[in-house]
Amino acid sequence: LRYDSTNHGSGADPDALVTLPCEYRGRSRWIQVNSSECLSPTITIDAATQAEFATSIYASNDQNPYVKDVIFRGTCQTNDAEKVGMNVEVSELNQCYRNVHPDHLSIYDMTSWSITHPGGLFNIAKWNTTGTLVFSASHEMSRWEKNHRKEDFGEYVGRYGDKLNYEDL
């Protein structure tokens, strides 16, 4: 199953236990969005922070066509340090990117979790037809963060769009 955080707004929740995009050498995930979204962003950041993110995104060698994982090597302005879900224009690429949850479009083998899930097998197995686990809006995102790294949860396989060698699975 692939984890889809899109039902949680920007896909990033400030209450979740995740690395914030402004953390130096932290990994953040970005998706390409319509360029018009950079013209009127819902979450604003300082021009200096915008430039730092644009540099990091541009420097990324991530070849995934759906998500771009970026290691941030810049500094954010103090007012931007805890922001998530912002849009960043990368003028060198003529593209706009939005920060999303670090597990957006991640793929997990959920077999073991479907058996041990406190809500029962049905609440995980019902997603088999779509292949996408839409994290329940009734759950806090911190619940995902606390559980998805547990040994009985499921094995991380990769990201949607990555090329995988099935012999490694």
Side-chain angles (χ1 to χ4, degrees), residues 13-76:
D13 179 350
D15 296 325
L17 308 171
V18 298
T19 302
L20 294 170
C22 281
E23 186 173 313
Y24 184 70
R25 293 191 182 193
R27 180 187 64 84
S28 58
R29 186 161 290 178
W30 301 79
I31 58 171
Q32 188 176 342
V33 295
N34 189 299
S35 294
S36 64
E37 294 189 38
C38 277
L39 299 175
S40 53
T42 55
I43 298 169
T44 58
I45 56 176
D46 186 270
T49 301
Q50 152 78 32
E52 294 280 6
F53 278 120
T55 299
S56 292
I57 293 169
Y58 181 69
S60 172
N61 61 359
D62 194 333
Q63 298 298 309
N64 186 296
Y66 302 104
V67 295
K68 186 177 282 284
D69 285 349
V70 173
I71 304 300
F72 187 62
R73 301 197 191 287
T75 56
C76 288

Side-chain angles (χ1 to χ4, degrees), residues 122-155:
F122 171 77
N123 285 310
I124 300 298
K126 67 183 178 184
W127 302 106
N128 286 347
T129 58
T130 64
T132 300
L133 170 66
V134 179
F135 195 69
S136 174
S138 67
H139 295 344
E140 296 291 324
M141 279 303 293
S142 58
R143 195 170 181 175
W144 169 265
E145 295 306 322
K146 289 176 187 173
N147 287 307
H148 88 283
R149 303 236 188 268
K150 289 183 177 177
E151 190 172 304
D152 65 346
F153 177 79
E155 186 176 346

